[in-house]
Amino acid sequence: MQGKIIKGIAGFYYVYVRGRGIYECKARGAFRKKKIKPVAGDAVEIEITDPVDAEGNIVSIAERRSLLIRPAVANVDQALVIFAARKPMPNFNLLDRFLVMMEQAEIPTTILFNKVDLVDREEIERIRRIYAASAYPIHFMSAKENLGLDEIRRQLSNRTTTVAGPSGVGKSSLINRLQSATRMQTAGISVKLGRGRHTTRHSELIPLEGEPSAVEGCLNTGGKGEAEPSGGTGDPAGRFRVNRHFIEDEARVLEEDSPEMICEEIRGRYQGARGFIVDTPGFSSLYVPDFEKEDLAFYFPEFLPYMNACRFQPCTHTHEPQCAVRKALDRGKISQSRYDSYLQMYEELSERRRY
Ligand code: GDP
Ligand code: ZN
């Protein structure tokens, strides 16, 4: 059976199988010898060892499309980096460092500015202009006033997104609004909540709300035999429906429970979440990753159209005469803020090479 690791804790991996729910798995011996440690986001093949308790073994890991470290998460499709338009004031240099990191990791990034309720239109336009030439998608929202969230939901739908940003910008507020109200449940009969308490931070894939993540209709065992909408967390358009025979089979197993409990059980277990977010710890500084300073300009997408036209090749775009990048800066094609970040990171990379 194919699934996706949504969380790993102390040697146990919680594997989400679409349409079934979550299995608690161990990495099987033979596979562990290869010394590849499964991480959240990994696409895995599992064998079920105990269908009642929803336990199994991971037998193989699919090749990773990407791997982020700290926190470790595989197969992220994109990053969402969130800053506040005010309180705290945006640190554009920090944002640009993050963007360079993601360019190097080849992870497409969307920029999000929260707390737009605290600034006027001009300020929003000023921020927008800084990034216009870079072509990163940029969104503005207010978690407080519930503005701009639909745009974000569209951006996140059907993908696995890592959400990052400095602390205090409203990341938790955003994630609270986006995540599915229905917690993911085990595929087994007995509901497990993970093994004991854990204090260490683990990456975890959080299912998004608004995905067809919960079953709309739930079995009514009160005699009518009809699936009734349960409201709230489901798919209002009814695009996603569970095979009713499947539910009825399960209901028989659960017949000692009350209809409400059966409803909750089934609703929780048959989920079709596709979009996930991964919360990452807030950061206050970022080191430019280790690469040659000559490569830095390639991580500023808006520099690319000009770089070939520089008089000197290679050009560092810091002081050379007839530098096309600096000309573009003078003509306002590249923003001063972005160029300043480039210079600062370039300096840092130059310093580092001296040791
Ligand atoms: P985190 O540290 O990034 O997770 O930020 P939180 O979600 O904890 O929010 C930090 C503070 O900003 C809290 O006091 C929130 O109430 C506040 N906050 C979050 N979103 C908004 C917003 O859109 N507008 C305003 N004015 N305040 C917000
Ligand atoms: Zn140049």
Side-chain angles (χ1 to χ4, degrees):
M1 208 181 284
Q2 310 252 321
K4 194 177 180 73
I5 300 180
I6 59 160
K7 180 162 64 169
I9 303 167
F12 288 95
Y13 299 95
Y14 295 86
V15 176
Y16 166 68
V17 177
R18 188 129 123 221
R20 287 188 175 265
I22 292 168
Y23 292 86
E24 185 182 79
C25 298
K26 290 184 199 168
R28 207 174 61 177
F31 151 82
R32 273 169 59 188
K33 280 195 202 98
K34 287 186 196 158
K35 291 195 175 149
I36 303 170
K37 203 171 143 20
V39 298
D42 265 325
V44 293
E45 177 75 32
I46 62 169
E47 60 181 21
I48 311 298
T49 52
D50 183 341
V52 175
D53 277 346
E55 290 174 359
N57 288 325
I58 295 176
V59 293
S60 67
I61 301 182
E63 200 180 325
R64 291 168 180 156
R65 282 181 282 116
S66 66
L67 178 65
L68 287 180
I69 46 167
R70 266 174 284 129
V73 48
N75 301 325
V76 156
D77 299 305
Q78 62 176 352
L80 181 73
V81 61
I82 167 167
F83 278 73
R86 186 157 298 167
K87 286 194 179 174
M89 287 297 277
N91 180 339
F92 295 111
N93 188 270
L94 190 57
L95 169 54
D96 293 339
R97 276 161 198 272
F98 185 86
L99 294 172
V100 164
M101 275 173 61
M102 293 301 114
E103 286 293 333
Q104 207 204 5
E106 294 182 36
I107 293 176
T109 303
T110 293
I111 304 169
L112 174 60
F113 280 92
N114 185 34
K115 308 200 190 185
V116 290
D117 53 289
L118 300 178
V119 296
D120 56 20
R121 274 233 76 83
E122 270 123 75
E123 180 61 6
I124 292 175
E125 288 316 312
R126 187 183 77 86
I127 295 172
R128 201 191 289 281
R129 273 197 301 275
I130 294 176
Y131 292 94
S134 72
Y136 290 107
I138 181 164
H139 297 285
F140 295 87
M141 67 168 277
S142 166
K144 187 177 164 206
E145 298 191 349
N146 218 349
L147 287 170
L149 272 136
D150 287 343
E151 245 177 88
I152 310 302
R153 288 200 179 94
R154 270 196 294 279
Q155 185 75 38
L156 303 184
S157 181
N158 277 323
R159 290 180 238 191
T160 298
T161 306
T162 178
V163 183
S167 48
V169 299
K171 186 158 61 82
S172 323
S173 312
L174 172 70
I175 289 173
N176 282 339
R177 286 194 182 272
L178 294 175
Q179 67 183 283
S180 170
T182 320
R183 268 210 16 262
M184 281 217 160
Q185 303 240 323
T186 160
I189 301 300
S190 57
V191 175
K192 269 193 221 110
L193 299 170
R195 306 235 159 184
R197 300 226 161 263
H198 40 276
T199 46
T200 5
R201 269 202 78 114
H202 297 273
S203 24
E204 174 173 357
L205 269 51
I206 304 165
L208 287 170
E209 191 191 47
E211 297 289 315
S213 58
V215 181
E216 186 217 4
C218 190
L219 186 69
N220 182 338
T221 50
K224 279 181 276 176
E226 271 299 313
E228 279 193 354
S230 50
T233 56
D235 166 23
R239 285 163 304 175
F240 181 75
R241 284 187 179 276
V242 158
N243 180 332
R244 270 182 51 81
H245 297 296
F246 218 9
I247 292 187
E248 276 160 4
D249 278 351
E250 295 285 341
R252 244 172 263 128
V253 181
L254 293 165
E255 67 196 354
E256 275 143 36
D257 293 327
S258 72
E260 289 78 9
M261 277 179 69
I262 293 170
C263 194
E264 267 315 299
E265 267 279 337
I266 293 172
R267 229 157 61 84
R269 279 190 283 140
Y270 292 88
Q271 297 182 50
R274 289 175 213 166
F276 294 93
I277 42 182
V278 187
D279 192 3
T280 60
F283 55 79
S284 54
S285 63
L286 290 174
Y287 285 108
V288 184
D290 209 25
F291 54 77
E292 302 295 327
K293 61 183 185 303
E294 289 73 22
D295 290 342
L296 182 63
F298 291 94
Y299 300 139
F300 283 75
E302 67 269 57
F303 289 14
L304 297 177
Y306 306 105
M307 284 162 59
N308 279 337
C310 294
R311 168 80 175 78
F312 294 94
Q313 296 288 347
C315 181
T316 68
H317 323 298
T318 58
H319 64 277
E320 293 88 342
Q322 298 179 51
C323 166
V325 170
R326 290 200 303 147
K327 264 188 227 158
L329 172 71
D330 292 341
R331 285 186 289 133
K333 302 281 184 195
I334 288 172
S335 71
Q336 189 67 48
S337 167
R338 290 276 291 163
Y339 183 73
D340 289 347
S341 292
Y342 170 79
L343 280 187
Q344 202 186 65
M345 280 182 250
Y346 190 88
E347 278 295 304
E348 261 171 55
L349 287 166
S350 311
E351 295 282 313
R352 223 182 271 174
R353 293 291 162 218
R354 281 186 207 142
Y355 299 111

